């Protein structure tokens, strides 16, 4: 008689069955692994392609915007002033960044492997440090020029010559080159193939020297200069006293009838509130109206002081907005990179290539923002720029 527990006995599994199960599982995993790798590779290729297109568009936009600024200043004689020569020099510097630095950096960022050799690595790093530092120092030169122009307007008008502007530009480039040269003295040519190209952060003193010379000191100078510019501009606006307006009036005449040549049309234009005419006139507030026969002229009188205050307030708001955009864009673009550079020189394990690339390209983005800020905040630039674009479109 069978026992009841025999009906519940689990099926026996031999060692051979285990081998068969194991081999089936391995075959399944082997079939799945290539598909997963293919998906991963396709995602990586798609990401690299998208990144390459994005960086290429940023580079092209930087080249075009700075080239248009240079062409606009060159074509328009009205813009041939020492102040605009400084802006043109900034555009040349940012154009060099977009030509010498950004294309190679885009290739290196996408591939994460250096394939151009040791010599090209040295040239690229030197160009990067020199051009980016010169771009930052040009911002200081422009701020210094504006500071002198607003605090010492009379004397600086005489001193503000193209030769002085050229001297300021040369000083910016000399400082930039002096910051990029020291690494040449301790760079060694590697016998093996070079696969990475980065600034050597082993020399902590050079890192401090370069970061302070290229960013921290210029940033403190910019904040101090633009702070003084804003304060002085505000003082000059508030100094406009009512007595200086001296009862000047702005008049607007609107002819009501269709007899522009009639004598009555010219006899009723008064300044202030006086009436010296044979024709009967009625003065009510700031409006003077007269009638003679069929002709009638309505004269609206507005106070020049109110108009001046309105324009001054508009200028103050525009100046505040421009200064905020200039300083804000500069600090947002470059501060993360220079903070991370110092952190990496102290903590080697804190270096992450992807994060470093993001901060680097954020700094490069300032070369695209510069021509937009310095030209769009200037009405003369906008007019000349639009005229140049219309001329190019008509020619095409």
């Amino acid at each position: 008689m069978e026992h009841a527990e025999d009906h519940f006995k689990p099926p026996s599994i031999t060692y051979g069955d285990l081998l068969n199960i194991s081999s089936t599982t391995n075959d399944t995993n082997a079939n799945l692994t290539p598909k997963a790798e293919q998906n991963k590779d396709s995602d990586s290729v798609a990401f690299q392609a998208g990144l390459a297109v994005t960086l290429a568009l940023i580079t092209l936009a930087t080249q075009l915007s700075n080239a248009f600024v240079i062409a606009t200043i060159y074509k328009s004689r009205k813009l041939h002033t020492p102040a605009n020569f400084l802006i043109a020099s900034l555009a040349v510097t940012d154009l060099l960044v977009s030509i010498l630095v950004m294309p190679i950096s885009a290739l290196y960022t996408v591939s994460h492997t250096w394939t151009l050799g040791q010599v090209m690595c040295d040239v690229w790093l030197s160009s990067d440090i020199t051009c980016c530092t010169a771009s930052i120092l040009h911002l200081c030169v422009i701020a210094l020029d504006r500071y002198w122009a607003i605090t010492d307007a009379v004397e600086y008008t005489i001193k503000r010559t193209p030769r002085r502007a050229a001297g300021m530009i040369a000083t910016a480039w000399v400082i930039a080159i002096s910051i990029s040269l020291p690494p040449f003295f301790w760079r060694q040519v590697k016998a093996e193939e070079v696969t990475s190209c980065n600034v050597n952060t082993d020399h902590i003193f050079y890192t401090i020297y370069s970061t302070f010379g290229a960013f921290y000191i210029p940033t403190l100078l910019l904040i101090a200069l633009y702070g003084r510019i804003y304060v002085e501009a505000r003082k000059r606006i508030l100094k406009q006293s009512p007595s200086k307006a001296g009862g000047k009036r702005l008049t607007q005449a609107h002819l009501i009838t269709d007899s522009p040549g009639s004598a009555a049309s010219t006899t009723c234009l008064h300044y202030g509130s006086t009436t010296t005419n044979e024709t009967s006139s009625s003065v009510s507030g700031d409006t003077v109206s007269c009638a003679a026969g069929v002709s009638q002229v309505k004269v609206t009188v507005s106070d020049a002081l109110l108009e001046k205050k309105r324009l001054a307030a508009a200028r103050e708001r525009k100046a505040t907005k421009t200064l905020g955009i200039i300083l804000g864009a500069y600090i947002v673009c470059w501060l993360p990179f220079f903070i991370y550079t110092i952190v990496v020189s102290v903590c080697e394990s804190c270096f992450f290539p992807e994060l470093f690339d993001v901060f680097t390209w954020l700094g490069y983005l300032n070369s695209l923002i510069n021509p937009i800020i310095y030209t769009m905040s200037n009405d003369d630039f906008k007019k000349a720029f639009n005229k140049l674009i219309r001329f190019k479109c008509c020619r095409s």
Side-chain angles (χ1 to χ4, degrees):
M1 184 176 179
E2 293 181 356
H3 296 283
E5 59 266 17
D6 292 339
H7 294 284
F8 301 99
K9 185 182 294 184
S12 59
I13 300 176
T14 62
Y15 182 71
D17 295 333
L18 288 174
L19 288 178
N20 291 332
I21 293 173
S22 177
S23 62
T24 305
T25 305
N26 291 335
D27 290 341
T28 305
N29 291 334
N31 291 331
L32 291 175
T33 301
K35 291 182 180 179
E37 289 180 353
Q38 287 176 2
N39 292 333
K40 186 177 180 180
D41 291 340
S42 62
D43 292 342
S44 177
V45 170
F47 174 77
Q48 287 182 332
L51 181 62
V53 171
T54 303
L55 298 183
L57 290 176
I58 294 174
T59 303
L60 182 62
T62 306
Q63 293 172 352
L64 292 177
S65 59
N66 286 287
F68 267 114
V69 169
I70 298 168
T72 302
I73 296 176
Y74 177 76
K75 289 287 185 180
S76 178
R77 290 187 176 273
K78 189 177 181 181
L79 297 177
H80 290 182
T81 62
N84 290 331
F85 289 157
L86 296 177
I87 295 178
S89 181
L90 172 65
V92 171
T93 306
D94 289 331
L95 183 62
L96 290 176
V97 173
S98 65
I99 293 174
L100 301 178
V101 180
M102 293 173 70
I104 298 177
S105 180
L107 177 64
Y108 188 36
T109 301
V110 173
S111 64
H112 279 294
T113 303
W114 186 261
T115 58
L116 302 178
Q118 178 69 47
V119 175
M120 196 63 190
C121 174
D122 293 340
V123 172
W124 175 64
L125 287 177
S126 299
S127 301
D128 189 355
I129 297 172
T130 303
C131 294
C132 291
T133 303
S135 177
I136 293 172
L137 293 177
H138 269 77
L139 301 180
C140 294
V141 166
I142 293 172
L144 195 61
D145 175 75
R146 291 183 175 181
Y147 171 75
W148 285 332
I150 200 169
T151 57
D152 192 15
V154 178
E155 292 187 8
Y156 189 62
T157 303
I158 303 172
K159 299 176 183 178
R160 203 180 198 182
T161 60
R163 180 175 294 182
R164 187 184 183 95
M168 297 168 74
I169 292 169
T171 303
W173 278 103
V174 167
I175 296 174
I177 293 172
S178 67
I179 291 176
S180 66
L181 278 180
F184 277 109
F185 295 106
W186 58 72
R187 281 182 189 161
Q188 298 178 355
V189 179
K190 299 178 181 178
E192 67 274 7
E193 184 180 356
V194 178
T195 57
S196 63
C197 182
N198 298 305
V199 178
N200 191 351
T201 56
D202 294 339
H203 298 76
I204 185 65
F205 292 108
Y206 171 71
T207 302
I208 295 174
Y209 162 73
S210 60
T211 53
F212 273 79
F215 177 75
Y216 291 108
I217 294 176
T219 300
L220 292 176
L221 182 62
L222 276 174
I223 293 173
L225 287 175
Y226 277 125
R228 290 293 300 165
I229 289 171
Y230 174 72
V231 171
E232 291 297 326
R234 190 179 180 85
K235 282 182 180 178
R236 289 178 62 176
I237 291 172
L238 296 177
K239 275 183 181 179
Q240 299 293 334
S241 60
S243 60
K244 292 184 180 179
K248 295 179 182 177
R249 300 281 178 170
L250 300 177
T251 60
Q252 295 178 345
H254 176 67
L255 185 63
I256 296 178
T257 65
D258 55 352
S259 56
S262 63
S265 300
T266 60
T267 56
C268 302
L269 300 177
H270 304 299
Y271 292 91
S273 59
T274 60
T275 57
T276 58
N277 231 306
E278 294 178 359
T279 310
S280 61
S281 304
S282 60
V283 181
S284 175
D286 283 341
T287 303
V288 181
S289 61
C290 70
V294 187
S295 301
Q296 186 178 2
V297 177
K298 184 179 181 182
V299 182
T300 304
V301 184
S302 60
D303 198 329
L305 179 60
L306 295 176
E307 185 69 13
K308 183 177 289 187
K309 285 184 176 180
R310 187 184 68 80
L311 294 175
R315 283 197 302 268
E316 182 181 341
R317 285 194 299 269
K318 187 175 181 180
T320 305
K321 183 178 179 180
T322 303
L323 293 180
I325 292 173
I326 290 171
L327 279 176
Y330 164 73
I331 292 175
V332 167
C333 287
W334 280 115
L335 183 62
F337 173 81
F338 282 98
I339 289 179
Y340 193 61
T341 301
I342 290 185
V343 170
V344 168
S345 64
V346 177
C347 172
E348 293 183 2
S349 61
C350 300
F351 179 77
F352 300 98
E354 293 78 10
L355 189 60
F356 184 80
D357 291 338
V358 171
F359 291 158
T360 299
W361 277 93
L362 189 61
Y364 292 157
L365 198 63
N366 191 236
S367 294
L368 173 60
I369 296 174
N370 283 336
I372 298 174
I373 295 176
Y374 282 97
T375 55
M376 291 299 102
S377 61
N378 189 313
D379 292 334
D380 292 334
F381 259 107
K382 284 190 283 189
K383 292 176 183 176
F385 190 73
N386 292 332
K387 188 183 296 184
L388 180 65
I389 289 181
R390 284 198 300 269
F391 176 73
K392 293 286 184 183
C393 292
C394 290
R395 289 193 63 181
S396 4

